Amino acid sequence: MGSLVLKLNDEQRDRWAIDGYLHIEGALDENEVAFFAGDLDRIRLLPGYEPSGVQLGHYERIDHAVDTDPEGFMDRRILLEYGQHFIDLIDRPNVFDLIVDIMGPNLMLSMTQAIVRPSTDKFAGYTHTDGGEGLREIRVTETSRPLAMKALYLLSDVTTRDTGAFTVFPGSHVRPFPWYRKPPLNPHADGCVQLMGRAGDCFLFSHSLWHGPAANHGGRARKTLLYNYAQMFLRSYDHGVLPESVFAQCGPRQRRLLGDLGHAFRPGDYFYVPTDQEAVILGG
Ligand SMILES: O=C(O)CCC(=O)C(=O)O
């Protein structure tokens, strides 16, 4: 049915179940990488949501990134307001098809984010699950669909250790994890792997996989884009803050992924999905 053509191969299906993540090489081409990397330099000078000092994981709207140097730290949320190219990445076929295969059709886009990790000796990296305290202790079985997952696009080469690698504890998505230990487990703990990749590669990972950024001592900033997907009955991270102008730029599938069901809210929505859900999601 529809445009869903790309599915996980057997090796990928095993890797997803056993390790909790997948490495997709060359998801973005060279020109796209250059374009998005350059665009992050542009948007850091624009108003947007950046981490608030008030509470971990919370963001507030400010006039521009605190650091205006393109090589400096940035953690920008709600990318969709910065242009069609960010909207089009929501359901980019060579990645989205795999996400639908993993999540099933009853999914939504729950967050967009761009992170620039500067080269510095002041950041040691950290380890967490996605979804905050709520999802930290909720895991599904290895053959279940995940509650949520993320696509992380590398916009920089990460080919040596401690240059801002995305790090994972493979298999931790289905095992108890001693997150309460002091000091906490971190990207240098036993069992943690620094994933190497090229600009344009994409990592798909389950929300319940323990993961996080390594330190970056590489001499240059490491840039990423992050698109988070969740089962529709969950609440979106970016709930209620997407401008109407973004919806106006979206196609039907993108609107649906942003929570537009085509009618005003009625009790039962999102838990019981619209009758055309599969057609919309698979149809492109
Ligand atoms: O690249 C990073 O800074 C880490 C991203 C990460 O840990 C996340 O998306 O949850």
Side-chain angles (χ1 to χ4, degrees), residues 111 113 115 117 126 128-130 150 152 164 166 205 211-213 222 224 226:
M111 193 192 82
Q113 185 176 25
I115 301 181
R117 297 246 172 238
Y126 64 96
H128 63 289
T129 61
D130 287 335
K150 210 177 253 173
L152 178 156
F166 178 61
F205 59 99
H211 67 270
R222 188 233 58 192
T224 51
L226 300 133

Side-chain angles (χ1 to χ4, degrees), residues 2-265:
S3 74
L4 186 73
V5 286
L6 192 60
K7 290 193 171 250
L8 300 186
N9 60 36
D10 291 346
E11 163 76 9
Q12 288 172 320
R13 211 170 289 284
D14 277 354
R15 294 262 68 89
W16 178 265
I18 294 166
D19 295 334
Y21 71 92
L22 292 177
H23 184 174
I24 301 171
E25 293 180 17
L28 299 178
D29 70 28
E30 215 174 296
N31 293 332
E32 291 171 312
V33 167
F35 176 76
F36 278 111
D39 210 45
L40 297 200
D41 303 345
R42 173 183 74 91
I43 70 172
R44 79 159 61 230
L45 303 177
L46 301 175
Y49 287 90
E50 295 266 345
S52 88
V54 178
Q55 190 181 334
L56 181 70
H58 287 222
Y59 289 70
E60 65 188 339
R61 194 144 176 106
I62 59 176
D63 290 342
H64 52 75
V66 171
D67 194 339
T68 53
D69 178 349
E71 288 287 302
F73 176 72
M74 179 174 80
D75 179 353
R76 181 60 60 97
R77 290 278 283 274
I78 326 278
L79 302 181
L80 306 182
E81 67 184 53
Y82 298 114
Q84 190 69 43
H85 44 294
F86 288 114
I87 293 174
D88 290 343
L89 217 47
I90 294 175
D91 57 350
R92 184 192 173 78
N94 61 344
V95 173
F96 185 71
D97 287 355
L98 300 179
I99 290 171
V100 175
D101 191 9
I102 293 169
M103 295 282 292
N106 303 327
L107 79 173
M108 65 173 167
L109 178 80
S110 54
M111 193 192 82
T112 53
Q113 185 176 25
I115 301 181
V116 179
R117 297 246 172 238
S119 178
T120 172
D121 56 10
K122 296 191 174 60
F123 176 71
Y126 64 96
T127 300
H128 63 289
T129 61
D130 287 335
E133 297 87 345
L135 283 181
R136 183 168 59 193
E137 293 180 87
I138 298 179
R139 299 179 294 275
V140 294
T141 66
E142 64 272 26
T143 52
S144 163
R145 298 197 186 285
L147 290 172
M149 63 178 287
K150 210 177 253 173
L152 178 156
Y153 296 90
L154 279 180
L155 299 180
S156 313
D157 288 337
V158 179
T159 51
T160 50
R161 284 176 64 79
D162 290 332
T163 59
F166 178 61
T167 68
V168 296
F169 284 81
S172 59
H173 61 309
V174 286
R175 287 200 307 264
F177 188 87
W179 54 265
Y180 37 79
R181 276 195 199 151
K182 300 262 183 320
L185 292 180
N186 61 64
H188 287 111
D190 285 349
C192 191
V193 180
Q194 298 203 15
L195 300 179
M196 299 295 125
R198 294 275 173 198
D201 290 0
C202 178
F203 293 108
L204 298 180
F205 59 99
S206 168
H207 86 276
S208 54
L209 185 74
W210 287 82
H211 67 270
N216 183 1
H217 305 314
R220 62 187 189 87
R222 188 233 58 192
K223 297 178 173 177
T224 51
L225 295 174
L226 300 133
Y227 279 59
N228 201 91
Y229 301 82
Q231 298 295 345
M232 223 189 203
F233 64 86
L234 287 172
R235 192 178 174 88
S236 162
Y237 289 84
D238 295 344
H239 189 82
V241 289
L242 279 179
E244 195 43 49
S245 57
V246 166
F247 285 90
Q249 286 173 264
C250 291
R253 177 160 76 180
Q254 293 164 341
R255 291 180 74 98
R256 179 64 58 83
L257 287 164
L258 295 178
D260 178 356
L261 304 184
H263 57 255
F265 176 78

